[in-house]
Amino acid sequence: MLWLAQAFLAISLVEAQSTPYGNTTNPSNNGSIPVALSNATSPPFYPSPWGDGTGDGWAEAYEKAHAFVRQLTLLEKVNLTTGVGWEGEACVGNVGEIPRLGFRSLCMQDSPLGIRFADYVSAFTSGGTIAASWDRGEWYRRGYQMGMEHRQKGVDVQLGPVVGPLGRNPKGGRNWEGFSPDPVLSGIAVAQTVRGIQDAGVIACTKHYILNEQEHFRQPGNFEDFGFVDAISSNIDDKTLHELYLWPFADAVRAGTGSIMCSYNKINNSQGCQNSYLQNYILKGELGFQGFIMSDWDAQHSGVASSFAGMDMSMPGDTDFDSGLSFWGANLTLSVINGTVPEWRVDDMAVRIMAAYYFVGRDTAQVPVNFNSWSLDTFGYRHAFAQTGYGLINEHVDVRDEHAMAIRTAAAKSTVLLKNNGVLPLTGREKFTAVFGDDSTENPYGPNGCPDHGCDNGTLAMGWGSGTAFYPYLVTPLEAIKNELVPQGRVVQSVVDNWAYDQITALAKQASVAIVFVNSDSGEGYITVDGNMGDRNNLTVWQDGEQLIKNVSASCNNTVVVIHSVGPVLVDSWYESENITAILWAGLPGEQSGNSIADVLYGRVNPGGKIPFTFGRQASDYGPDLIYEPTNGHDSPQDNFEEGVFIDYRAFDKNDITPIYEFGFGLSYTTFSYSDLNVQKVEAGPYTPTTGMTGAAPVLGNSSTDPADYQWPANLTYVKQYIYPYLNSTDGKTASNDSEYGLNYTWPEGATDSSPQPRIAAGGAPGGNPQLWDVLFSVTASITNNGTIPGDEVPQLYISLGGPDDPKVALRNFDRLSIQPGQSATFTADITRRDVSNWDTVSQNWVISNHTKTVYVGSSSRTLPLSAKLQF
Ligand code: NOJ
C-alpha cells in the first residue's frame, strides 16, 4: 500500500499550492486577460460528485443502474471498473465480467471514424472532413451508422467522437480525428455524433478530456534525443477553458454522452485522469455529467488519488501494457476494505457505468462480441497476450449495410471548392485528361498495408494511429476518373511517381486538363512517419507535392489541384498561378474517396462544403507553435495557452493577418446573395444561477471488510497477466505488500464526504445551467441562388461580443440550405444566452457584458454582408 500513500502525498503537494484558474492575470495587458502561466497549479476539488440521474432520460437509467449495482458484491463492482489488461480480451479495452449475473465483460473499441482492427467494416469520412459539410443531418447519420456497425460487432463503447484536440495549432497530429478549431462548429458536430451513436444503442466516449493538443510529450516517457521527459502540462486560464476548449465537451454532455475519456497530458500540472478540479468540479459538477470517466490507455497514474479525483474506469486496466499489475483491480478492493476509499465512491463508479449502459439501451441492443482486435483469423486465442482460450474468435460479420452510399455522399458534401476559374465542373468530354500524383492511386502494400495506417503511401483518406479503421476497399481517385472517362471513349493517362519529372512534363504537355492530387498526413504519436512523430513538422504538402504541382502547371494551363490533408497546408507559392484553374480541398474522405471527388469534379454534386479551419500564408500565422523539445529538462514541458481564445480565425482577425482562404469559406458552381436580415428579440426572463444542495451519496452496499471474503475462487482458470479483483492473502498487510497497511492515511480534504453538497451556480443539468440555452433572439435572412443550377449554401451567423478581449467575430450558428436556381430560401437561426455570454471568473458564471453586441450573417468568417446590433 505504500504507493497509495505516496500518491496521496503527491496530490496534496501539488494541489496545496494551487490558485483558482481565474486568478492569474497578464501584467502586459492591464491585468485584464487571465493567462496561463508556467508552473500553473490546479485547485483541489472533493468529493467526487455522485451521479443523481439529472437530465433527460437519465432518471430511469439511474433507477435501473442502482437496482443492478445493489446486487453486486464489492469484487463485482471492482470488476466493472477495471480493465482486464492489454490484449486480455477481444476489444482494445475490456473490463471484467460478472458471471454470476450472466453479465459479460464490456467491450470498448476504437475509433472515431469506424471500427478499428475488424474486418467487414466501413471506413467513414474523418471528423475533420465531415465538419466541412456543416450539415447536422450528415453528422447524425454518420454517428448512427458508425454506432450500428459497432453494435453489430458486439461493441459496448465506441471510443469517439473527438473534441480534444480541438486544433489549437494545425500541426497537432490528431486534429483530423476531431472536427474543427471552432468550438461551436465542433460542439454541434459532436452533439449530433453522440446522438447518432447512442441512438444506435452504443455508448459514445467523447475524448480526450482535455487540452490534449499535441502528440509530442503527451505521456511521460523516454525519448531518443532527450531521455526521460514527464508528460506535457497544458496550462490554461479559466476563461479560455470555458469559452473555448470546454465548450464542445459541454455540448457532448448535454447531448448525453455516456462516457468521457480523460487525457494523457497534465492540465495545469495535474495529471488529466487525477485532476480533481477538471473531473470533479468542472465535468461532474458544473457540467453535470451523468456518465463515466474512462482513462486513456495507461493515462492512470495512481490508485486512490484517481478514485477520489473522479475517474470511474481504468483502461486497459494494467499499469503498463501487460505488466499484470493494476492501480485498481485488487488494489481497489483493498482500498475499500481498509477504509481508504469509501464504498460509495466505488458504487458511484459502477452506477455511472451501468447508467450509461441503460441510457443508450445496451440491455436490449447487446450482441456477443464476434471479432477479435488481435487477429483477423477465424480461430485463435481469446486471450491474445496469454495465448490461451483457443477457439472461434472472428465470425467475419459484415456490418457495412448500405453505408457506402452515405459515405460517398457525405465526403462529396464535405469537399470544399477553394478556387475555380470556370473550368469546373468538368464535362467529361475533355479530350485528354492527365492525372498526377502518388495521392491519386493505391498504396502498393494494400489499403491496410501499414499498421494503423502509419505511412503515406498512395491516396490519403484517413490519418494514422488508433483513430483509424480497416478499409473494406479504397476507391482511388485515379480509378474513379477512369471509370468516368473510359466508357465515354476519352483519353486518360497518369503519372503517379511524383519524382518522375520528365514523364510528368511530357504528359502534362499533352493534356487538355491535368488533375493533380497531393496530400499531407499526421497521426498519433506512437508512430513516426517520414520524421513526423504524430504531429506535423510543417504545413507543406508531402511527397514533393509542391514541386509536382509546379511541374504540371508549368506545362498545362488547365491544372486542377485536389488536396487530401489532415488540415490546412501551405499553398502560397502556387495557388495564384493562372495555370492552376481550380483547387479543391477533399480532406480525408474515407473508403469512397475516388467516387466522391469524381462526383464533384464532374458536377453530379455541386460543392457546398466550407473549410472548418483557416488556410494561412505561413505556419507562424496560427500563433504559438507546438512544443517539439523539452522546455523543462526532464520535468513536464510547460505549454502555456497564452493566446487565450484566439486560435485559428480568431487569431488571424486579432492580429490582422490576411488568410489565403478564411474559416467558413467555400465556393459553389452557382452563386448566392444575402438579404433581409431580421432580428427578433425573444423574452426569456432573467438568468437564475443554480442554488441548493444535492442529495447525499446513495448507499448501495455495505461490503465486508474481512480480506478472507475476497480470496481467489477455487475453480478459477487463471489467465496470465490478466487483472483480477482478488486478494492474495487473508491478511491485508500481506495482500497489499504494504508494511503500513491499516495505519492512518491522509485524505484530500472532503474526499470521503458523502453528505449533500452545494450545487454549482453555472450548473444544474447536463451541459451546464439549462438557462444558457434560452433563446434570446431569433434571426432570419434571405439567401438567393443567382445561378442556373441547384446548389447548397451554408449561411453562417457570427457575433461580436464587443469587449476588448473578445474575438472580432465568433461563429454561433449556421445551416446548410439547398436552393433551386433563381429561388430564395430563408435562413433561420436562434441566438441563445450562452451565445452572447462571457465566462466571468469572479462570479464563476456566464454573464452578458455591457458591450455593444453585433450579429453578422454571411458566407464565411470574412464575408459578412448582413449585420445588426443586438438590442437587449
Ligand atoms: C490511446 C488513444 O489516445 C485513444 O484515443 C485510444 O482510444 C486508445 N489509445 C485505445 O486505443
Side-chain angles (χ1 to χ4, degrees), residues 27-345:
S28 65
N29 206 342
N30 305 328
S32 56
I33 305 181
V35 295
L37 298 173
S38 286
N39 305 318
T41 52
S42 196
F45 186 85
Y46 301 98
S48 184
W50 37 94
D52 62 3
T54 302
D56 288 347
W58 283 102
E60 200 189 325
Y62 263 76
E63 245 172 61
K64 291 181 187 166
H66 281 167
F68 184 85
V69 173
R70 265 199 199 95
Q71 319 167 63
L72 301 185
T73 65
L74 176 59
L75 291 169
E76 289 167 340
K77 293 177 206 174
V78 168
N79 250 11
L80 259 187
T81 67
T82 307
V84 300
W86 181 242
E87 297 181 329
E89 290 283 351
C91 305
V92 295
N94 281 81
V95 291
E97 58 189 3
I98 306 176
R100 184 177 66 89
L101 300 177
F103 190 84
R104 74 125 201 262
S105 139
L106 295 177
C107 159
M108 334 291 150
Q109 191 68 11
D110 293 311
S111 76
L113 62 64
I115 306 178
R116 182 183 181 205
F117 294 152
D119 50 10
Y120 300 97
V121 300
S122 303
F124 288 84
T125 307
S126 78
T129 299
I130 201 150
S133 72
W134 298 61
D135 189 319
R136 289 169 171 83
E138 289 299 338
W139 297 330
Y140 177 85
R141 177 161 61 168
R142 171 176 173 271
Y144 184 77
Q145 294 183 343
M146 291 194 301
M148 284 307 289
E149 295 200 7
H150 279 87
R151 172 182 173 149
Q152 288 166 52
K153 286 281 184 189
V155 174
D156 294 291
V157 184
Q158 176 178 351
L159 301 174
V162 170
V163 284
L166 186 65
R168 179 189 182 211
N169 183 298
K171 293 181 188 167
R174 301 182 73 182
N175 294 357
W176 59 274
E177 292 187 45
F179 300 100
S180 163
D182 182 85
V184 169
L185 185 55
S186 266
I188 296 174
V190 76
Q192 291 298 87
T193 309
V194 163
R195 290 189 185 106
I197 293 171
Q198 298 198 157
D199 282 354
V202 168
I203 300 169
C205 178
T206 304
K207 63 190 190 180
H208 308 83
Y209 185 73
I210 190 171
L211 305 173
N212 191 166
E213 295 291 325
Q214 66 166 66
E215 291 303 285
H216 281 75
F217 310 118
R218 66 175 185 170
Q219 279 171 289
N222 285 302
F223 296 83
E224 215 173 287
D225 297 337
F226 317 116
F228 175 83
V229 183
D230 203 349
I232 195 165
S233 176
S234 298
N235 299 329
I236 190 89
D237 65 86
D238 195 22
K239 180 172 153 72
T240 307
L241 177 74
H242 280 86
E243 293 186 4
L244 188 60
Y245 296 98
L246 186 66
W247 186 290
F249 280 102
D251 288 315
V253 172
R254 187 159 181 265
T257 188
S259 164
I260 286 195
M261 187 187 289
C262 52
S263 60
Y264 282 130
N265 53 290
K266 298 182 180 181
I267 304 107
N268 289 347
N269 291 293
S270 168
Q271 282 292 349
C273 292
Q274 62 183 58
N275 187 315
S276 64
Y277 182 78
L278 281 157
Q279 299 190 139
N280 288 344
Y281 182 75
I282 296 284
L283 185 55
K284 292 183 171 176
E286 187 181 317
L287 298 190
F289 174 54
Q290 298 293 320
F292 63 98
I293 301 178
M294 164 200 307
S295 72
D296 198 342
W297 270 231
D298 288 352
Q300 184 182 20
H301 295 285
S302 64
V304 173
S306 55
S307 321
F308 283 141
M311 212 185 91
D312 303 301
M313 184 188 277
S314 164
M315 274 293 129
D318 36 22
T319 49
D320 283 312
F321 285 180
D322 303 316
S323 65
L325 305 169
S326 180
F327 288 112
W328 283 1
N331 282 313
L332 188 56
T333 311
L334 270 170
S335 64
V336 173
I337 63 176
N338 77 6
T340 315
V341 173
E343 188 165 3
W344 63 258
R345 177 73 266 272

Side-chain angles (χ1 to χ4, degrees), residues 70 113 117 236 254 266 300 336 352 359 408 445 450 485 532 591 628 656 662 674 750 764 820 861:
R70 265 199 199 95
L113 62 64
F117 294 152
I236 190 89
R254 187 159 181 265
K266 298 182 180 181
Q300 184 182 20
V336 173
R352 285 172 172 277
F359 184 72
R408 176 174 180 165
Y445 302 139
C450 305
L485 301 176
N532 298 265
E591 65 183 41
Y628 292 92
D656 224 354
E662 74 271 19
Y674 285 64
Q820 291 302 311
S861 59

Side-chain angles (χ1 to χ4, degrees), residues 1 53 132 178 290 311 335 477 480 557 559 683 810 852:
M1 278 301 263
Q290 298 293 320
M311 212 185 91
S335 64
N557 65 4
T559 299
E683 276 315 321
T852 305

